[in-house]
Amino acid sequence: MKAKLTIRDIARLAGVSKSTVSRVLNQSEKVDPATRARVQQVMEEHGYVPSIAATGLAGGRNRLIGITLPSLAWPISLEVIRGIADVVEESPYEIILYGGSDKEKDPRQVLERVLATHLADGLLTLLHTQMPQKMFELYEQGFPVVLINTTAMRVNIPWVGIDNVAAARTATRHLLELGHRRIACVLGAMPFGCIEDRYNGYCQALAEVGLTPDPELVVSGAFNEAGGAECARKLFALKERPSAVFVNKDSMAYGFIEEALRLGWRVPDDIAVVGFDDVSPQNEAPVALTTINQPFARMGARGTELLLALIEEKYRALKQGGERGLPVQDITAWQVLLPTQLVVRESCGARRQS
């Protein structure tokens, strides 16, 4: 069996140094065009396929970016990946996907696997939990990291997300504009910054029309359809029931609607419902949901643009004598809020009024 050629073999055959071959593999501009052509010709003649590790020898680059996901089954994962792929296809980089699972609650395990491979030049992380300390440590150590749609927006590292306060204010205003005044708010029972922000947006919208939030109209439950159904039972048990509800997550909203219909309430005739996310239900919904659209594909694309820029920033700083290249000086320039949009469908009753 013919032995596989190494970078050292290609360097010897081309009459150049091993580092020059590595620079060619990494598409460095520091290689003379004639030398580059000679090295590429030797690699082609001998059918040389570089190893992933070898491509990173010059400048420490592998031209790979890692993506960590809680699970591919998570509704927004594929949309985010689509946005990432759109940007990566136009770059010299490729993707390594590190997926968790619904059972794997601790994202640190996934991060440890990423670091153990020594392959990725940077990391895009999509989380549905609070931020693990390991992410901060990575960034502080000079490893390019960008968070996408993080539930804890108040973090001092690069991220891409949305203005949850403004989005929730828009959702609640819509119900107010439809004439509702007794508006409930359904929250996820988790201590996430985004949940607090959405509640604040709800309160701000009520305050704009002189209303004070009624504590008995604010209920919380699990981040799923069962949690939404539980919240519906709580609200329908009240002596003075709400005429509308803003639900902080679509899966909860679908559970809320199912339970409302089961209890004999009509949506939107008896209660108007607005959700948050614009994610399709697992099963066919009995009522089309009015909701806040989060631009998940755009989040993936913008996050990838930020990460690639961070990687370039790191290597530029290293070439200039910096020890790590990161963290960047003005972190706010690397934290991006994308706009959301209210998508009006059947569940709020607006179409019937018009």
Side-chain angles (χ1 to χ4, degrees):
M1 183 176 177
K2 188 176 180 180
K4 183 178 178 180
L5 292 180
T6 65
I7 281 186
R8 190 184 303 277
D9 295 324
I10 296 299
R12 176 176 52 80
L13 293 169
V16 298
S17 67
K18 188 170 64 173
S19 60
T20 297
V21 176
S22 293
R23 292 191 185 96
V24 172
L25 292 172
N26 282 283
Q27 304 179 36
S28 171
E29 298 178 357
K30 291 186 176 182
V31 182
D32 176 76
T35 302
R36 181 190 305 278
R38 184 164 73 254
V39 172
Q40 291 174 335
Q41 181 178 353
V42 169
M43 289 192 291
E44 184 176 344
E45 289 175 350
H46 291 81
Y48 174 69
V49 178
S51 69
I52 292 175
T55 59
L57 291 179
R61 296 200 191 199
N62 287 319
R63 297 291 180 183
L64 293 169
I65 59 174
I67 306 171
T68 66
L69 301 169
S71 168
L72 283 173
W74 199 26
I76 74 172
S77 293
L78 294 181
E79 276 294 292
V80 173
I81 291 175
R82 181 168 65 84
I84 294 171
D86 286 344
V87 175
V88 170
E89 286 177 0
E90 302 299 323
S91 78
Y93 285 80
E94 300 294 340
I95 294 171
I96 313 175
L97 183 62
Y98 301 89
S101 69
D102 292 332
K103 296 180 180 180
E104 186 175 47
K105 302 297 183 183
D106 190 350
R108 290 176 297 182
Q109 298 176 23
V110 180
L111 295 176
E112 293 296 341
R113 291 203 298 270
V114 174
L115 299 178
T117 63
H118 300 289
L119 297 180
D121 281 329
L123 185 64
L124 288 166
T125 298
L126 179 64
L127 292 175
H128 62 175
T129 62
Q130 290 284 37
M131 193 59 48
Q133 180 63 29
K134 191 67 178 179
M135 296 298 298
F136 296 101
E137 295 172 2
L138 280 177
Y139 179 71
E140 289 298 324
Q141 292 166 6
F143 190 78
V145 172
V146 173
L147 311 178
I148 298 176
N149 192 42
T150 175
T151 56
M153 298 300 292
R154 303 168 187 85
V155 292
N156 201 34
I157 55 179
W159 51 254
V160 176
I162 62 165
D163 187 336
N164 283 284
V165 175
R169 190 165 59 241
T170 295
T172 309
R173 275 179 182 167
H174 178 66
L175 292 170
L176 290 166
E177 289 167 357
L178 292 174
H180 298 284
R181 287 300 179 268
R182 192 162 172 77
I183 302 173
C185 181
V186 169
L187 304 170
M190 298 292 282
F192 293 160
C194 65
I195 299 303
E196 180 182 344
D197 287 346
R198 292 173 194 178
Y199 173 68
N200 288 337
Y202 159 80
C203 293
Q204 287 180 18
L206 294 182
E208 289 172 356
V209 295
L211 295 176
T212 301
D214 184 341
E216 74 172 4
L217 293 182
V218 180
V219 295
S220 62
F223 260 135
N224 51 36
E225 292 190 11
E230 177 190 1
C231 291
R233 290 190 292 272
K234 292 177 182 177
L235 291 173
F236 290 133
L238 296 175
K239 183 176 181 180
E240 188 179 355
R241 301 179 182 91
S243 65
V245 59
F246 165 51
V247 186
N248 275 211
K249 187 174 177 64
D250 279 357
S251 59
M252 296 184 75
Y254 289 121
F256 185 99
I257 290 173
E258 289 278 2
E259 186 65 10
L261 297 175
R262 189 188 71 79
L263 293 172
W265 293 81
R266 298 168 299 168
V267 177
D269 295 334
D270 296 322
I271 187 162
V273 181
V274 175
F276 201 110
D277 281 343
D278 200 15
V279 172
S280 299
Q282 293 183 343
N283 303 309
E284 185 176 355
V287 180
L289 181 63
T290 295
T291 187
I292 294 291
N293 172 269
Q294 290 204 62
F296 295 118
R298 182 62 190 138
M299 285 182 191
R302 191 71 186 94
T304 306
E305 292 167 355
L306 281 181
L307 183 65
L308 295 179
L310 277 172
I311 292 172
E312 293 304 314
E313 183 85 6
K314 171 183 177 178
Y315 287 108
R316 187 182 305 114
L318 288 173
K319 289 177 182 178
Q320 295 173 354
E323 292 183 4
R324 298 179 301 177
L326 290 174
V328 293
Q329 297 299 315
D330 182 12
I331 192 64
T332 59
W334 300 84
Q335 296 177 333
V336 178
L337 287 176
L338 297 177
T340 57
Q341 180 181 5
L342 177 70
V343 181
V344 178
R345 299 191 180 102
E346 184 182 354
S347 68
C348 64
R351 290 183 174 180
R352 298 187 185 184
Q353 286 195 18
S354 63

